[in-house]
Every structure is written in structure tokens, then in C-alpha cells.
Amino acid sequence: SQKIEQNSEALNIQEGKTATLTCNYTNYSPAYLQWYRQDPGRGPVFLLLIRENEKEKRKERLKVTFDTTLKQSLFHITASQPADSATYLCALEPNTGRRALTFGSGTRLQVQP
Amino acid sequence: DTAVSQTPKYLVTQMGNDKSIKCEQNLGHDTMYWYKQDSKKFLKIMFSYNNKELIINETVPNRFSPKSPDKAHLNLHINSLELGDSAVYFCASSQGRGGMTYEQYFGPGTRLTVT
């Protein structure tokens, strides 16, 4: 069956360090992979989209990689700040069949000052 | 100047009741969605409409009925509420239709509690 796995354990890091979050998937042929941020009591907010033929995408302090061989995406936040503390969700859209996003359960990031 | 708005923010009701959640987007998007986020934080798609046409209808009990009066609105009506319906419901919108999914813009969510 199709699965999207994100580390359910919270990631705790010190301010200024680089946070790296992982999204692994099985039995998918994703056309797109997206990353969202969700704060408590709020809706997810879009951060970055990467296509299957792209290896890497950057936006300010954020970087996403997409390895379709490993079936994995890594999400990096450099020079992390306490304000980056939130839950980060990855979402896939397949390139066949039902064209809709399927979300992982998210990883909570806690940046300590 | 909210992009995607939902009402109400909180909804507490008893089993067996019928309730509606309203959603509006002012982004000019063609596609709107309803998602359910359960206690384990999984966000699952329920429905998707493109220009008032239903394009995705997941395995959702037929007690749930979406209605799209125009492309800026997508409401969710739930009949005969059950305890298991308790969750946070998110509305979202995006450009394009299924097959050309762009980033999605989410509303603030409606926390439904069924007692």
C-alpha cells in the first residue's frame, strides 16, 4: 500500500543550527512533492514545491531535495530560529491515477533559544 | 483580507444532529477542497471541486455532502453526526484542477466536537 512516512518524534535543535526533516514514501510515483508548515490551531501554510525532475529547490533559509531513487525528500532549515518551531508536513501528488495531494503526518520541530 | 475563510471556527454538537461548515476563498482559484485532520494529525482529503464540478470524492460516508454554489464557495454538510466525526476540518483552494495541483491555501480550520 502507499505510504508517506515522516518522523513522528519531535526534532529538538539549538537556535542557529540546521534542521533536517525527512519524508520517505513507498509505492508512489510522485509528480510533485510539497512541504507545508502547520502551527497549532492553524491551517497548513505552503512552503516549497519540487517536481520529480528537480533535485533541489531553495527559498531563503529553506532547501528541499527530492531523490526519486531513494524515494525520499529532505527539508532543511538553515540558521534555525525559535520562530521556526512548528510541525512540517510533506505532501505528494502522484503522476498517475487520482491527482490529489496525500499528506504525511508531519514532524514537529522545536528550536531552542 | 483573509484568503480562505471558514465558519464556524468551533462547532460542538450532539450525536445525531446535522451541521454545516462554510468555506469561502477570495483568491480566484478554480479548485477547492475539504480535508479532515484527525487526532493523530493525518490530513486526509475528502472532496475536491473544480469550478463547481466534483472531481474527487474519497471514501467518505454519504452523510457528508459538499455543496459548491459557485467557484468561490464550498460548503460541507454533515448529517446524523457520529462521535467519530470529531476532528478538525480544513477547507483549501488552489489554481488548476486535478492533474495540475499547485500549492494549496488552507483555511483556519473548524474544530468539530461531537458529544
Side-chain angles (χ1 to χ4, degrees):
Chain A
S1 61
Q2 295 176 327
K3 271 189 181 178
I4 301 172
E5 292 182 333
Q6 294 184 257
N7 194 343
S8 58
E9 289 184 18
L11 177 63
N12 291 289
I13 63 167
Q14 285 297 120
E15 183 175 6
K17 300 291 186 186
T18 296
T20 299
L21 287 75
T22 304
C23 176
N24 293 303
Y25 60 91
T26 54
N27 297 322
Y28 267 105
S29 294
Y32 304 89
L33 188 146
Q34 302 185 23
W35 283 89
Y36 287 78
R37 168 184 173 140
Q38 187 172 22
D39 290 283
R42 293 179 174 257
V45 174
F46 171 78
L47 297 174
L48 281 168
L49 179 153
I50 188 165
R51 292 176 170 78
E52 61 178 330
N53 59 354
E54 297 176 319
K55 295 292 184 190
E56 184 179 296
K57 207 78 169 282
R58 290 175 186 260
K59 179 182 173 184
E60 297 171 354
R61 294 184 296 113
L62 308 180
K63 183 177 88 171
V64 171
T65 63
F66 194 9
D67 189 326
T68 54
T69 301
L70 289 178
K71 296 187 186 300
Q72 181 181 79
S73 174
L74 298 178
F75 177 80
H76 306 272
I77 306 175
T78 58
S80 59
Q81 304 164 1
D84 295 327
S85 298
T87 296
Y88 291 85
L89 307 169
C90 73
L92 300 181
E93 180 190 350
N95 58 17
T96 57
R98 181 173 66 84
R99 304 302 293 267
L101 285 180
T102 301
F103 282 82
S105 59
T107 297
R108 175 155 175 72
L109 172 67
Q110 189 71 38
V111 181
Q112 308 290 347
Chain B
D1 198 18
T2 308
V4 182
S5 59
Q6 292 178 232
T7 54
K9 173 85 171 159
Y10 300 97
L11 186 52
V12 181
T13 188
Q14 290 184 328
M15 283 174 53
N17 285 348
D18 303 339
K19 291 292 178 186
S20 291
I21 307 172
K22 295 187 175 181
C23 178
E24 176 181 2
Q25 56 96 1
N26 62 7
L27 297 166
H29 287 163
D30 290 329
T31 306
M32 295 185 72
Y33 311 82
W34 276 110
Y35 287 89
K36 178 180 180 180
Q37 189 169 45
D38 60 24
S39 57
K40 294 185 178 178
K41 305 301 183 186
F42 275 103
L43 197 61
K44 291 184 180 175
I45 190 164
M46 301 172 69
F47 302 103
S48 171
Y49 269 76
N50 176 265
N51 243 334
K52 302 199 298 174
E53 175 192 352
L54 180 66
I55 56 172
I56 291 174
N57 184 349
E58 285 297 278
T59 310
V60 175
N62 57 16
R63 298 182 294 104
F64 290 79
S65 53
K67 286 198 171 38
S68 182
D70 55 62
K71 76 172 194 177
H73 295 84
L74 180 61
N75 303 322
L76 183 65
H77 189 75
I78 316 170
N79 288 329
S80 303
L81 279 154
E82 300 177 358
L83 292 176
D85 298 332
S86 296
V88 181
Y89 292 84
F90 288 100
C91 176
S93 72
S94 70
Q95 294 177 305
R97 78 173 272 150
M100 288 288 287
T101 301
Y102 295 90
E103 63 262 32
Q104 297 190 9
Y105 293 77
F106 283 80
T110 296
R111 181 173 291 277
L112 171 65
T113 303
V114 182
T115 61

